[in-house]
Amino acid sequence: MCSRVEQAWRWCAPRADAVAAAVLTVGAAVSLGVGGLFGSPLTLLSSVALLVFVALVSVRRRHPVVVAAASGGILLLPSFILRGTDVYVGSVALTTLGLAAVFLYAYALGSDSPWGFSLVGLIPLSVGVASATAAFNPLVGMVTVGPWLAGLLVASRRRVAAELEGLALELELERELFSAESVRYERARIARELHDIVAHSVSLIVVQAGAGERLAMVDPESAAESFDSISEAARQAEVEIKRLTELLGTSHSASPLTGLRIVGELVNRAQASGLRVLCHFRGQVDGLSEQSTEASYRLVQEALTNAMKHASGAPITVTVRGRDDDVQIEVVNGPARADRSGLEGLGGGHGLTGMRERIAGCGGTFAAGPTSERGWRVSASLPRHLRFGAVPVER
């Protein structure tokens, strides 16, 4: 039953004006015929004008101003045709049909044309309705101005609905763009994590492999230690990749870092692989968030990797200094003291960018640049509590 009603409504909705015009015209014709108003030439002319008046309902939405002005002109015909007024007001049925048509014309003026332009049609329509009445009648305002105001209100609501729909489409587009940007950001973050893990471990492996190759024939025991360091670097890379996988698979870290002392463990592994690196902890260095601890660890890891790549054989000093509101981390290496490491081509050249983004994401400041001794310094300051909003980043 509901489906039939819906089908009927879909068929009638676009044809509503034509159906209304047909009903009004047929009703007016029957009333005129019953009243014998087709008998004389004068009443015949007024009767035909009345039929045209109601038939114009079929085009009221397409040309609301023109139709309203023409309808007002038709209603003025009794002023020029004898006994014409009797045609319009002498029958209750005709009066009702005429008022219904006037209501529809006035409503279309308000709802389907600009309000200023609609006055061009409303004024002649009101004058025509007033001329068709024998004396002053407040009904004139009710069937003209009232529907016109209602049409203006509906048009206003329609515009608001269209604007809201446009805003909804914009929000949906922004949501899709935000989702795409989030995916891109997450991919970049994962790539950065893998870069930090793999680049550091591969650099250690390459350094130790080169050392082991040189020592194999001269000092087999030292060569064996180099190969042990290679195994340790590979195992550590496996552990960190596994941890990254666990982190990506859950909403929280499955094996959280245990404070900045993890930096000391990283330095110990680097020392065991033959790097000349020292680590100093000064002051209270605990109290950082897990995100800041992760960023600190990756900062030191990337700085050590860069030192191995670009300053082969240079001494490296890692300093972690706790202050009242933040923790400062500094990695300084001297100038290169050996031949090229062969690692310069490894990585994508985004190490400093990745470090800067990590530190900025924690609300800290980051700086990197050469030292006066032709070495390189990387430093960061991380707040003990995450800051939200604008993040200052030193360049």
Side-chain angles (χ1 to χ4, degrees), residues 245-284:
T245 303
E246 292 175 349
L247 182 64
L248 295 175
T250 59
S251 59
H252 58 278
S253 176
S255 52
L257 297 175
T258 56
L260 282 181
R261 298 297 173 180
I262 194 73
V263 172
E265 297 179 12
L266 174 64
V267 171
N268 290 337
R269 291 195 297 271
Q271 290 173 336
S273 67
L275 286 181
R276 299 174 58 191
V277 55
L278 297 175
C279 183
H280 305 288
F281 288 91
R282 297 172 181 171
Q284 177 58 256

PDB file of all heavy atoms in Angstrom, residues 245-284:
ATOM      1  N   THR A 245      56.098  -3.693  14.852  1.00  0.00           N
ATOM      2  CA  THR A 245      54.924  -4.442  14.396  1.00  0.00           C
ATOM      3  C   THR A 245      53.877  -4.531  15.495  1.00  0.00           C
ATOM      4  O   THR A 245      52.679  -4.376  15.250  1.00  0.00           O
ATOM      5  CB  THR A 245      55.342  -5.855  13.949  1.00  0.00           C
ATOM      6  OG1 THR A 245      56.342  -5.749  12.933  1.00  0.00           O
ATOM      7  CG2 THR A 245      54.145  -6.624  13.405  1.00  0.00           C
ATOM      8  N   GLU A 246      54.325  -4.780  16.724  1.00  0.00           N
ATOM      9  CA  GLU A 246      53.390  -4.836  17.853  1.00  0.00           C
ATOM     10  C   GLU A 246      52.721  -3.478  18.066  1.00  0.00           C
ATOM     11  O   GLU A 246      51.517  -3.401  18.341  1.00  0.00           O
ATOM     12  CB  GLU A 246      54.143  -5.248  19.119  1.00  0.00           C
ATOM     13  CG  GLU A 246      54.653  -6.690  19.090  1.00  0.00           C
ATOM     14  CD  GLU A 246      55.505  -6.998  20.310  1.00  0.00           C
ATOM     15  OE1 GLU A 246      55.849  -6.038  21.034  1.00  0.00           O
ATOM     16  OE2 GLU A 246      55.817  -8.181  20.544  1.00  0.00           O
ATOM     17  N   LEU A 247      53.483  -2.417  17.935  1.00  0.00           N
ATOM     18  CA  LEU A 247      52.941  -1.079  18.132  1.00  0.00           C
ATOM     19  C   LEU A 247      51.878  -0.751  17.087  1.00  0.00           C
ATOM     20  O   LEU A 247      50.845  -0.165  17.383  1.00  0.00           O
ATOM     21  CB  LEU A 247      54.072  -0.057  18.078  1.00  0.00           C
ATOM     22  CG  LEU A 247      53.687   1.411  18.314  1.00  0.00           C
ATOM     23  CD1 LEU A 247      53.146   1.595  19.707  1.00  0.00           C
ATOM     24  CD2 LEU A 247      54.894   2.314  18.073  1.00  0.00           C
ATOM     25  N   LEU A 248      52.135  -1.157  15.829  1.00  0.00           N
ATOM     26  CA  LEU A 248      51.176  -0.893  14.756  1.00  0.00           C
ATOM     27  C   LEU A 248      49.929  -1.748  14.885  1.00  0.00           C
ATOM     28  O   LEU A 248      48.863  -1.376  14.401  1.00  0.00           O
ATOM     29  CB  LEU A 248      51.832  -1.142  13.389  1.00  0.00           C
ATOM     30  CG  LEU A 248      52.983  -0.206  13.021  1.00  0.00           C
ATOM     31  CD1 LEU A 248      53.614  -0.647  11.720  1.00  0.00           C
ATOM     32  CD2 LEU A 248      52.497   1.226  12.925  1.00  0.00           C
ATOM     33  N   GLY A 249      50.054  -2.887  15.536  1.00  0.00           N
ATOM     34  CA  GLY A 249      48.919  -3.798  15.632  1.00  0.00           C
ATOM     35  C   GLY A 249      48.012  -3.547  16.806  1.00  0.00           C
ATOM     36  O   GLY A 249      46.963  -4.154  16.934  1.00  0.00           O
ATOM     37  N   THR A 250      48.400  -2.632  17.721  1.00  0.00           N
ATOM     38  CA  THR A 250      47.587  -2.348  18.901  1.00  0.00           C
ATOM     39  C   THR A 250      47.458  -0.847  19.061  1.00  0.00           C
ATOM     40  O   THR A 250      48.154  -0.059  18.426  1.00  0.00           O
ATOM     41  CB  THR A 250      48.238  -2.941  20.170  1.00  0.00           C
ATOM     42  OG1 THR A 250      49.549  -2.370  20.335  1.00  0.00           O
ATOM     43  CG2 THR A 250      48.347  -4.446  20.051  1.00  0.00           C
ATOM     44  N   SER A 251      46.525  -0.440  19.934  1.00  0.00           N
ATOM     45  CA  SER A 251      46.324   0.983  20.192  1.00  0.00           C
ATOM     46  C   SER A 251      47.359   1.548  21.156  1.00  0.00           C
ATOM     47  O   SER A 251      47.424   2.736  21.374  1.00  0.00           O
ATOM     48  CB  SER A 251      44.920   1.217  20.776  1.00  0.00           C
ATOM     49  OG  SER A 251      44.766   0.476  21.983  1.00  0.00           O
ATOM     50  N   HIS A 252      48.190   0.686  21.756  1.00  0.00           N
ATOM     51  CA  HIS A 252      49.234   1.155  22.648  1.00  0.00           C
ATOM     52  C   HIS A 252      50.438   0.250  22.472  1.00  0.00           C
ATOM     53  O   HIS A 252      50.363  -0.820  21.883  1.00  0.00           O
ATOM     54  CB  HIS A 252      48.769   1.136  24.102  1.00  0.00           C
ATOM     55  CG  HIS A 252      48.345  -0.250  24.554  1.00  0.00           C
ATOM     56  ND1 HIS A 252      47.097  -0.762  24.280  1.00  0.00           N
ATOM     57  CD2 HIS A 252      49.028  -1.210  25.223  1.00  0.00           C
ATOM     58  CE1 HIS A 252      47.012  -1.988  24.785  1.00  0.00           C
ATOM     59  NE2 HIS A 252      48.159  -2.265  25.351  1.00  0.00           N
ATOM     60  N   SER A 253      51.559   0.710  22.943  1.00  0.00           N
ATOM     61  CA  SER A 253      52.787  -0.059  22.782  1.00  0.00           C
ATOM     62  C   SER A 253      52.722  -1.360  23.577  1.00  0.00           C
ATOM     63  O   SER A 253      52.404  -1.378  24.753  1.00  0.00           O
ATOM     64  CB  SER A 253      53.984   0.776  23.250  1.00  0.00           C
ATOM     65  OG  SER A 253      55.166   0.019  23.180  1.00  0.00           O
ATOM     66  N   ALA A 254      53.053  -2.466  22.878  1.00  0.00           N
ATOM     67  CA  ALA A 254      53.010  -3.766  23.552  1.00  0.00           C
ATOM     68  C   ALA A 254      54.210  -3.950  24.463  1.00  0.00           C
ATOM     69  O   ALA A 254      54.175  -4.725  25.392  1.00  0.00           O
ATOM     70  CB  ALA A 254      52.966  -4.882  22.506  1.00  0.00           C
ATOM     71  N   SER A 255      55.321  -3.251  24.166  1.00  0.00           N
ATOM     72  CA  SER A 255      56.518  -3.347  25.004  1.00  0.00           C
ATOM     73  C   SER A 255      57.100  -1.946  25.159  1.00  0.00           C
ATOM     74  O   SER A 255      58.009  -1.561  24.442  1.00  0.00           O
ATOM     75  CB  SER A 255      57.546  -4.293  24.368  1.00  0.00           C
ATOM     76  OG  SER A 255      57.791  -3.924  23.020  1.00  0.00           O
ATOM     77  N   PRO A 256      56.532  -1.138  26.044  1.00  0.00           N
ATOM     78  CA  PRO A 256      56.928   0.261  26.161  1.00  0.00           C
ATOM     79  C   PRO A 256      58.385   0.415  26.576  1.00  0.00           C
ATOM     80  O   PRO A 256      58.960  -0.420  27.260  1.00  0.00           O
ATOM     81  CB  PRO A 256      55.980   0.795  27.240  1.00  0.00           C
ATOM     82  CG  PRO A 256      55.563  -0.389  28.027  1.00  0.00           C
ATOM     83  CD  PRO A 256      55.524  -1.524  27.055  1.00  0.00           C
ATOM     84  N   LEU A 257      58.994   1.536  26.136  1.00  0.00           N
ATOM     85  CA  LEU A 257      60.360   1.834  26.523  1.00  0.00           C
ATOM     86  C   LEU A 257      60.409   2.181  28.008  1.00  0.00           C
ATOM     87  O   LEU A 257      59.463   2.712  28.571  1.00  0.00           O
ATOM     88  CB  LEU A 257      60.873   3.014  25.697  1.00  0.00           C
ATOM     89  CG  LEU A 257      60.961   2.770  24.173  1.00  0.00           C
ATOM     90  CD1 LEU A 257      61.359   4.059  23.466  1.00  0.00           C
ATOM     91  CD2 LEU A 257      61.947   1.674  23.850  1.00  0.00           C
ATOM     92  N   THR A 258      61.543   1.862  28.622  1.00  0.00           N
ATOM     93  CA  THR A 258      61.676   2.038  30.074  1.00  0.00           C
ATOM     94  C   THR A 258      62.554   3.248  30.365  1.00  0.00           C
ATOM     95  O   THR A 258      63.661   3.117  30.876  1.00  0.00           O
ATOM     96  CB  THR A 258      62.277   0.785  30.704  1.00  0.00           C
ATOM     97  OG1 THR A 258      63.537   0.503  30.048  1.00  0.00           O
ATOM     98  CG2 THR A 258      61.351  -0.396  30.541  1.00  0.00           C
ATOM     99  N   GLY A 259      62.094   4.437  30.025  1.00  0.00           N
ATOM    100  CA  GLY A 259      62.820   5.648  30.341  1.00  0.00           C
ATOM    101  C   GLY A 259      64.019   5.866  29.436  1.00  0.00           C
ATOM    102  O   GLY A 259      64.340   5.066  28.561  1.00  0.00           O
ATOM    103  N   LEU A 260      64.704   7.006  29.690  1.00  0.00           N
ATOM    104  CA  LEU A 260      65.830   7.381  28.834  1.00  0.00           C
ATOM    105  C   LEU A 260      67.066   6.518  29.059  1.00  0.00           C
ATOM    106  O   LEU A 260      68.038   6.650  28.317  1.00  0.00           O
ATOM    107  CB  LEU A 260      66.173   8.856  29.074  1.00  0.00           C
ATOM    108  CG  LEU A 260      65.240   9.872  28.387  1.00  0.00           C
ATOM    109  CD1 LEU A 260      65.717  11.283  28.678  1.00  0.00           C
ATOM    110  CD2 LEU A 260      65.206   9.631  26.887  1.00  0.00           C
ATOM    111  N   ARG A 261      67.025   5.637  30.051  1.00  0.00           N
ATOM    112  CA  ARG A 261      68.164   4.745  30.226  1.00  0.00           C
ATOM    113  C   ARG A 261      68.323   3.820  29.020  1.00  0.00           C
ATOM    114  O   ARG A 261      69.398   3.238  28.819  1.00  0.00           O
ATOM    115  CB  ARG A 261      67.984   3.905  31.503  1.00  0.00           C
ATOM    116  CG  ARG A 261      67.915   4.734  32.780  1.00  0.00           C
ATOM    117  CD  ARG A 261      69.224   5.480  33.020  1.00  0.00           C
ATOM    118  NE  ARG A 261      69.099   6.416  34.152  1.00  0.00           N
ATOM    119  CZ  ARG A 261      70.089   7.189  34.583  1.00  0.00           C
ATOM    120  NH1 ARG A 261      71.267   7.140  33.968  1.00  0.00           N
ATOM    121  NH2 ARG A 261      69.896   8.016  35.597  1.00  0.00           N
ATOM    122  N   ILE A 262      67.271   3.715  28.210  1.00  0.00           N
ATOM    123  CA  ILE A 262      67.366   2.913  26.991  1.00  0.00           C
ATOM    124  C   ILE A 262      68.391   3.502  26.028  1.00  0.00           C
ATOM    125  O   ILE A 262      68.992   2.807  25.217  1.00  0.00           O
ATOM    126  CB  ILE A 262      65.973   2.818  26.317  1.00  0.00           C
ATOM    127  CG1 ILE A 262      65.967   1.720  25.247  1.00  0.00           C
ATOM    128  CG2 ILE A 262      65.566   4.136  25.689  1.00  0.00           C
ATOM    129  CD1 ILE A 262      65.981   0.344  25.813  1.00  0.00           C
ATOM    130  N   VAL A 263      68.630   4.836  26.150  1.00  0.00           N
ATOM    131  CA  VAL A 263      69.656   5.484  25.337  1.00  0.00           C
ATOM    132  C   VAL A 263      71.034   4.941  25.723  1.00  0.00           C
ATOM    133  O   VAL A 263      71.902   4.722  24.868  1.00  0.00           O
ATOM    134  CB  VAL A 263      69.593   7.011  25.504  1.00  0.00           C
ATOM    135  CG1 VAL A 263      70.780   7.682  24.815  1.00  0.00           C
ATOM    136  CG2 VAL A 263      68.286   7.549  24.947  1.00  0.00           C
ATOM    137  N   GLY A 264      71.232   4.735  27.021  1.00  0.00           N
ATOM    138  CA  GLY A 264      72.500   4.153  27.454  1.00  0.00           C
ATOM    139  C   GLY A 264      72.725   2.782  26.871  1.00  0.00           C
ATOM    140  O   GLY A 264      73.853   2.430  26.486  1.00  0.00           O
ATOM    141  N   GLU A 265      71.665   1.956  26.790  1.00  0.00           N
ATOM    142  CA  GLU A 265      71.807   0.633  26.190  1.00  0.00           C
ATOM    143  C   GLU A 265      72.174   0.742  24.716  1.00  0.00           C
ATOM    144  O   GLU A 265      72.980  -0.039  24.208  1.00  0.00           O
ATOM    145  CB  GLU A 265      70.501  -0.145  26.358  1.00  0.00           C
ATOM    146  CG  GLU A 265      70.129  -0.407  27.813  1.00  0.00           C
ATOM    147  CD  GLU A 265      68.817  -1.154  27.932  1.00  0.00           C
ATOM    148  OE1 GLU A 265      68.330  -1.650  26.891  1.00  0.00           O
ATOM    149  OE2 GLU A 265      68.277  -1.225  29.050  1.00  0.00           O
ATOM    150  N   LEU A 266      71.570   1.705  24.017  1.00  0.00           N
ATOM    151  CA  LEU A 266      71.903   1.920  22.613  1.00  0.00           C
ATOM    152  C   LEU A 266      73.376   2.285  22.458  1.00  0.00           C
ATOM    153  O   LEU A 266      74.073   1.759  21.574  1.00  0.00           O
ATOM    154  CB  LEU A 266      71.019   3.030  22.046  1.00  0.00           C
ATOM    155  CG  LEU A 266      71.317   3.496  20.613  1.00  0.00           C
ATOM    156  CD1 LEU A 266      71.078   2.370  19.627  1.00  0.00           C
ATOM    157  CD2 LEU A 266      70.467   4.712  20.255  1.00  0.00           C
ATOM    158  N   VAL A 267      73.879   3.171  23.321  1.00  0.00           N
ATOM    159  CA  VAL A 267      75.280   3.567  23.262  1.00  0.00           C
ATOM    160  C   VAL A 267      76.184   2.381  23.589  1.00  0.00           C
ATOM    161  O   VAL A 267      77.240   2.191  22.970  1.00  0.00           O
ATOM    162  CB  VAL A 267      75.544   4.738  24.231  1.00  0.00           C
ATOM    163  CG1 VAL A 267      77.048   5.019  24.357  1.00  0.00           C
ATOM    164  CG2 VAL A 267      74.809   5.980  23.759  1.00  0.00           C
ATOM    165  N   ASN A 268      75.797   1.532  24.564  1.00  0.00           N
ATOM    166  CA  ASN A 268      76.607   0.359  24.907  1.00  0.00           C
ATOM    167  C   ASN A 268      76.737  -0.575  23.713  1.00  0.00           C
ATOM    168  O   ASN A 268      77.817  -1.137  23.448  1.00  0.00           O
ATOM    169  CB  ASN A 268      75.986  -0.389  26.087  1.00  0.00           C
ATOM    170  CG  ASN A 268      76.107   0.395  27.382  1.00  0.00           C
ATOM    171  OD1 ASN A 268      76.976   1.246  27.525  1.00  0.00           O
ATOM    172  ND2 ASN A 268      75.227   0.100  28.338  1.00  0.00           N
ATOM    173  N   ARG A 269      75.649  -0.772  22.965  1.00  0.00           N
ATOM    174  CA  ARG A 269      75.734  -1.628  21.774  1.00  0.00           C
ATOM    175  C   ARG A 269      76.635  -1.007  20.714  1.00  0.00           C
ATOM    176  O   ARG A 269      77.386  -1.709  20.027  1.00  0.00           O
ATOM    177  CB  ARG A 269      74.330  -1.868  21.202  1.00  0.00           C
ATOM    178  CG  ARG A 269      73.454  -2.732  22.082  1.00  0.00           C
ATOM    179  CD  ARG A 269      72.236  -3.225  21.308  1.00  0.00           C
ATOM    180  NE  ARG A 269      71.377  -2.123  20.869  1.00  0.00           N
ATOM    181  CZ  ARG A 269      70.384  -1.624  21.589  1.00  0.00           C
ATOM    182  NH1 ARG A 269      70.137  -2.116  22.808  1.00  0.00           N
ATOM    183  NH2 ARG A 269      69.643  -0.631  21.133  1.00  0.00           N
ATOM    184  N   ALA A 270      76.559   0.317  20.596  1.00  0.00           N
ATOM    185  CA  ALA A 270      77.428   0.992  19.629  1.00  0.00           C
ATOM    186  C   ALA A 270      78.894   0.860  20.042  1.00  0.00           C
ATOM    187  O   ALA A 270      79.777   0.650  19.201  1.00  0.00           O
ATOM    188  CB  ALA A 270      77.032   2.458  19.516  1.00  0.00           C
ATOM    189  N   GLN A 271      79.170   0.975  21.348  1.00  0.00           N
ATOM    190  CA  GLN A 271      80.542   0.802  21.834  1.00  0.00           C
ATOM    191  C   GLN A 271      81.035  -0.612  21.573  1.00  0.00           C
ATOM    192  O   GLN A 271      82.188  -0.824  21.180  1.00  0.00           O
ATOM    193  CB  GLN A 271      80.610   1.118  23.331  1.00  0.00           C
ATOM    194  CG  GLN A 271      80.434   2.587  23.676  1.00  0.00           C
ATOM    195  CD  GLN A 271      80.346   2.820  25.171  1.00  0.00           C
ATOM    196  OE1 GLN A 271      79.973   1.914  25.935  1.00  0.00           O
ATOM    197  NE2 GLN A 271      80.651   4.050  25.611  1.00  0.00           N
ATOM    198  N   ALA A 272      80.146  -1.578  21.781  1.00  0.00           N
ATOM    199  CA  ALA A 272      80.530  -2.969  21.570  1.00  0.00           C
ATOM    200  C   ALA A 272      80.861  -3.248  20.114  1.00  0.00           C
ATOM    201  O   ALA A 272      81.647  -4.164  19.811  1.00  0.00           O
ATOM    202  CB  ALA A 272      79.411  -3.899  22.032  1.00  0.00           C
ATOM    203  N   SER A 273      80.270  -2.469  19.219  1.00  0.00           N
ATOM    204  CA  SER A 273      80.552  -2.674  17.792  1.00  0.00           C
ATOM    205  C   SER A 273      81.808  -1.952  17.347  1.00  0.00           C
ATOM    206  O   SER A 273      82.203  -2.058  16.184  1.00  0.00           O
ATOM    207  CB  SER A 273      79.370  -2.158  16.963  1.00  0.00           C
ATOM    208  OG  SER A 273      79.257  -0.746  17.071  1.00  0.00           O
ATOM    209  N   GLY A 274      82.472  -1.214  18.270  1.00  0.00           N
ATOM    210  CA  GLY A 274      83.738  -0.566  17.938  1.00  0.00           C
ATOM    211  C   GLY A 274      83.655   0.931  17.787  1.00  0.00           C
ATOM    212  O   GLY A 274      84.683   1.571  17.526  1.00  0.00           O
ATOM    213  N   LEU A 275      82.495   1.525  17.943  1.00  0.00           N
ATOM    214  CA  LEU A 275      82.394   2.974  17.820  1.00  0.00           C
ATOM    215  C   LEU A 275      83.000   3.657  19.044  1.00  0.00           C
ATOM    216  O   LEU A 275      82.895   3.166  20.165  1.00  0.00           O
ATOM    217  CB  LEU A 275      80.930   3.395  17.687  1.00  0.00           C
ATOM    218  CG  LEU A 275      80.233   3.121  16.359  1.00  0.00           C
ATOM    219  CD1 LEU A 275      78.808   3.621  16.424  1.00  0.00           C
ATOM    220  CD2 LEU A 275      80.959   3.795  15.212  1.00  0.00           C
ATOM    221  N   ARG A 276      83.614   4.808  18.794  1.00  0.00           N
ATOM    222  CA  ARG A 276      84.172   5.601  19.885  1.00  0.00           C
ATOM    223  C   ARG A 276      83.079   6.566  20.366  1.00  0.00           C
ATOM    224  O   ARG A 276      82.984   7.704  19.923  1.00  0.00           O
ATOM    225  CB  ARG A 276      85.394   6.380  19.403  1.00  0.00           C
ATOM    226  CG  ARG A 276      86.524   5.487  18.905  1.00  0.00           C
ATOM    227  CD  ARG A 276      87.640   6.330  18.312  1.00  0.00           C
ATOM    228  NE  ARG A 276      88.165   7.277  19.279  1.00  0.00           N
ATOM    229  CZ  ARG A 276      88.996   8.276  18.963  1.00  0.00           C
ATOM    230  NH1 ARG A 276      89.363   8.463  17.701  1.00  0.00           N
ATOM    231  NH2 ARG A 276      89.446   9.093  19.916  1.00  0.00           N
ATOM    232  N   VAL A 277      82.273   6.083  21.274  1.00  0.00           N
ATOM    233  CA  VAL A 277      81.129   6.866  21.720  1.00  0.00           C
ATOM    234  C   VAL A 277      81.029   6.818  23.235  1.00  0.00           C
ATOM    235  O   VAL A 277      81.246   5.771  23.846  1.00  0.00           O
ATOM    236  CB  VAL A 277      79.815   6.361  21.070  1.00  0.00           C
ATOM    237  CG1 VAL A 277      79.606   4.879  21.323  1.00  0.00           C
ATOM    238  CG2 VAL A 277      78.609   7.155  21.550  1.00  0.00           C
ATOM    239  N   LEU A 278      80.746   7.973  23.822  1.00  0.00           N
ATOM    240  CA  LEU A 278      80.569   8.096  25.259  1.00  0.00           C
ATOM    241  C   LEU A 278      79.170   8.652  25.531  1.00  0.00           C
ATOM    242  O   LEU A 278      78.608   9.400  24.726  1.00  0.00           O
ATOM    243  CB  LEU A 278      81.620   9.040  25.859  1.00  0.00           C
ATOM    244  CG  LEU A 278      83.086   8.599  25.747  1.00  0.00           C
ATOM    245  CD1 LEU A 278      83.995   9.702  26.285  1.00  0.00           C
ATOM    246  CD2 LEU A 278      83.317   7.301  26.488  1.00  0.00           C
ATOM    247  N   CYS A 279      78.623   8.286  26.683  1.00  0.00           N
ATOM    248  CA  CYS A 279      77.288   8.744  27.061  1.00  0.00           C
ATOM    249  C   CYS A 279      77.327   9.273  28.493  1.00  0.00           C
ATOM    250  O   CYS A 279      77.879   8.605  29.392  1.00  0.00           O
ATOM    251  CB  CYS A 279      76.274   7.611  26.941  1.00  0.00           C
ATOM    252  SG  CYS A 279      74.574   8.106  27.301  1.00  0.00           S
ATOM    253  N   HIS A 280      76.735  10.460  28.702  1.00  0.00           N
ATOM    254  CA  HIS A 280      76.703  11.072  30.026  1.00  0.00           C
ATOM    255  C   HIS A 280      75.258  11.417  30.383  1.00  0.00           C
ATOM    256  O   HIS A 280      74.543  12.036  29.590  1.00  0.00           O
ATOM    257  CB  HIS A 280      77.546  12.355  30.054  1.00  0.00           C
ATOM    258  CG  HIS A 280      78.958  12.159  29.615  1.00  0.00           C
ATOM    259  ND1 HIS A 280      79.894  11.504  30.388  1.00  0.00           N
ATOM    260  CD2 HIS A 280      79.600  12.524  28.469  1.00  0.00           C
ATOM    261  CE1 HIS A 280      81.057  11.482  29.756  1.00  0.00           C
ATOM    262  NE2 HIS A 280      80.905  12.084  28.576  1.00  0.00           N
ATOM    263  N   PHE A 281      74.858  11.031  31.586  1.00  0.00           N
ATOM    264  CA  PHE A 281      73.539  11.402  32.117  1.00  0.00           C
ATOM    265  C   PHE A 281      73.765  12.383  33.258  1.00  0.00           C
ATOM    266  O   PHE A 281      74.521  12.097  34.198  1.00  0.00           O
ATOM    267  CB  PHE A 281      72.797  10.168  32.629  1.00  0.00           C
ATOM    268  CG  PHE A 281      72.299   9.269  31.547  1.00  0.00           C
ATOM    269  CD1 PHE A 281      73.079   8.224  31.077  1.00  0.00           C
ATOM    270  CD2 PHE A 281      71.040   9.466  30.986  1.00  0.00           C
ATOM    271  CE1 PHE A 281      72.624   7.394  30.071  1.00  0.00           C
ATOM    272  CE2 PHE A 281      70.577   8.636  29.987  1.00  0.00           C
ATOM    273  CZ  PHE A 281      71.370   7.608  29.525  1.00  0.00           C
ATOM    274  N   ARG A 282      73.106  13.522  33.176  1.00  0.00           N
ATOM    275  CA  ARG A 282      73.272  14.551  34.192  1.00  0.00           C
ATOM    276  C   ARG A 282      71.906  15.038  34.660  1.00  0.00           C
ATOM    277  O   ARG A 282      71.051  15.375  33.850  1.00  0.00           O
ATOM    278  CB  ARG A 282      74.078  15.737  33.633  1.00  0.00           C
ATOM    279  CG  ARG A 282      75.493  15.354  33.245  1.00  0.00           C
ATOM    280  CD  ARG A 282      76.202  16.471  32.527  1.00  0.00           C
ATOM    281  NE  ARG A 282      77.553  16.066  32.156  1.00  0.00           N
ATOM    282  CZ  ARG A 282      78.360  16.775  31.351  1.00  0.00           C
ATOM    283  NH1 ARG A 282      77.945  17.947  30.870  1.00  0.00           N
ATOM    284  NH2 ARG A 282      79.566  16.322  31.068  1.00  0.00           N
ATOM    285  N   GLY A 283      71.720  15.047  35.959  1.00  0.00           N
ATOM    286  CA  GLY A 283      70.457  15.506  36.512  1.00  0.00           C
ATOM    287  C   GLY A 283      69.376  14.436  36.432  1.00  0.00           C
ATOM    288  O   GLY A 283      69.622  13.268  36.111  1.00  0.00           O
ATOM    289  N   GLN A 284      68.164  14.851  36.728  1.00  0.00           N
ATOM    290  CA  GLN A 284      67.014  13.954  36.721  1.00  0.00           C
ATOM    291  C   GLN A 284      66.482  13.850  35.288  1.00  0.00           C
ATOM    292  O   GLN A 284      65.937  14.802  34.750  1.00  0.00           O
ATOM    293  CB  GLN A 284      65.933  14.508  37.645  1.00  0.00           C
ATOM    294  CG  GLN A 284      64.656  13.692  37.673  1.00  0.00           C
ATOM    295  CD  GLN A 284      64.901  12.253  38.088  1.00  0.00           C
ATOM    296  OE1 GLN A 284      64.888  11.365  37.230  1.00  0.00           O
ATOM    297  NE2 GLN A 284      65.120  12.020  39.377  1.00  0.00           N
TER     298      GLN A 284
END
